[in-house]
Amino acid sequence: MQTVLVIEDEEDIADLVGFNLERAGCRVLKAYDGQIGLDMALKERPDIIVLDLMLPTLNGLGVLKGLRRDSRTQQVPVILLTARAQTEDRIQGLTSGADDYVTKPFSPKELVLRVQSILKRMQVNSGSTEFVVGPFSFDKNALKFYIDNAPVELTSTEFKLLLYLCERANHPQQRNDMLRSVWGYSDDVISRTLDTHMKRLRQKLGSFADRVETIRGVGYRFVNPA
Ligand code: CA
């Protein structure tokens, strides 16, 4: 059974979300406050977190940063709950390491589907769990990435984007296909975050940054010289 932590100060919403997740077979933990939610996440290490942006004591972006800073929760996927007007916050959230977002008012069913889709993506790939291309190697099981055997810290989104490009080395990949593969769908908000993710990813690749090419009007390509 997988554990979902719901951090949401509106108790009605937290309860509704919790009820639907429990019905879908998850174990649910709830926190009605940002700081309490962050502490609970570090202690309980849930499999996924549903995080509201507007929270007392510590807002959602603060919680997200706290989660991403701590090795215990660095890789735990996060779905943001945001109001329709919070486009910039949503973009900031996605580039700060959130995996997805759902806009309020949302249908609990949609949220449950998003949770299940991310959990499925995180599951162990039963085939080969290691993928190697040139100096890069990916441990798909642990979501760990290495350059010349030295570990490089990537967020789960950066990991998935890079793996997607590397598995299709030398072939240009379209933005929308990348978005759909990593997030499961594509829309304007996540599209606006793609270039920021790619920029950070390149910074982390150091001297290999130029292996990831921007193809104007198309998307990106990973170059693996023969
Ligand atoms: Ca709230």
Side-chain angles (χ1 to χ4, degrees):
M1 190 182 273
Q2 289 181 300
T3 301
V4 186
L5 170 59
V6 179
I7 309 178
E8 161 66 274
D9 59 319
E10 287 165 79
E11 297 190 19
D12 289 354
I13 297 181
D15 290 347
L16 180 67
V17 166
F19 172 77
N20 280 276
L21 288 167
E22 276 168 1
R23 227 173 38 171
C26 299
R27 173 175 168 249
V28 176
L29 302 170
K30 284 181 272 187
Y32 303 127
D33 164 296
Q35 187 61 54
I36 292 172
L38 177 58
D39 294 343
M40 200 182 271
L42 297 175
K43 186 162 162 270
E44 303 281 343
R45 297 199 218 179
D47 297 292
I48 186 165
I49 296 169
V50 175
L51 175 63
D52 187 33
L53 275 183
M54 305 281 275
L55 290 167
T57 71
L58 182 62
N59 70 26
L61 291 176
V63 174
L64 183 59
K65 282 178 189 146
L67 292 169
R68 291 300 174 247
R69 256 198 307 266
D70 195 292
S71 60
R72 287 170 291 178
T73 50
Q74 219 158 40
Q75 303 283 356
V76 177
V78 173
I79 298 180
L80 296 178
L81 296 180
T82 73
R84 201 165 291 281
Q86 294 171 309
T87 308
E88 291 310 315
D89 286 344
R90 228 177 287 159
I91 287 171
Q92 205 189 331
L94 289 170
T95 52
S96 306
D99 295 82
D100 203 353
Y101 71 90
V102 170
T103 312
K104 288 179 176 178
F106 56 87
S107 86
K109 200 175 145 194
E110 185 197 352
L111 179 63
V112 169
L113 288 175
R114 293 281 179 89
V115 166
Q116 287 172 329
S117 141
I118 291 183
L119 287 174
K120 209 167 133 194
R121 253 190 275 154
M122 300 290 292
Q123 262 171 15
V124 179
N125 186 328
S126 56
S128 90
T129 58
E130 200 196 23
F131 177 76
V132 179
V133 57
F136 292 0
S137 65
F138 298 82
D139 180 343
K140 297 190 204 177
N141 198 341
L143 296 183
K144 295 254 190 277
F145 170 68
Y146 304 85
I147 299 178
D148 289 330
N149 296 322
V152 176
E153 288 288 342
L154 300 182
T155 66
S156 63
T157 299
E158 290 161 355
F159 182 93
K160 284 177 255 178
L161 285 169
L162 185 60
L163 179 62
Y164 183 87
L165 291 176
C166 288
E167 285 182 333
R168 295 157 183 80
N170 300 324
H171 297 285
Q173 298 303 315
Q174 298 198 15
R175 296 176 67 86
N176 278 344
D177 292 339
M178 294 171 69
L179 297 173
R180 270 193 285 271
S181 161
V182 171
W183 281 274
Y185 64 99
S186 123
D187 72 11
D188 286 350
V189 170
I190 54 168
S191 180
R192 282 175 64 185
T193 70
L194 179 61
D195 302 304
T196 318
H197 285 298
M198 295 305 294
K199 193 175 153 198
R200 292 207 186 160
L201 178 57
R202 278 201 182 104
Q203 285 165 357
K204 293 183 182 180
L205 297 180
S207 60
F208 292 98
D210 57 0
R211 293 287 191 98
V212 177
E213 285 182 354
T214 304
I215 302 181
R216 202 173 300 206
V218 179
Y220 291 90
R221 173 168 73 155
F222 174 75
V223 182
N224 187 40

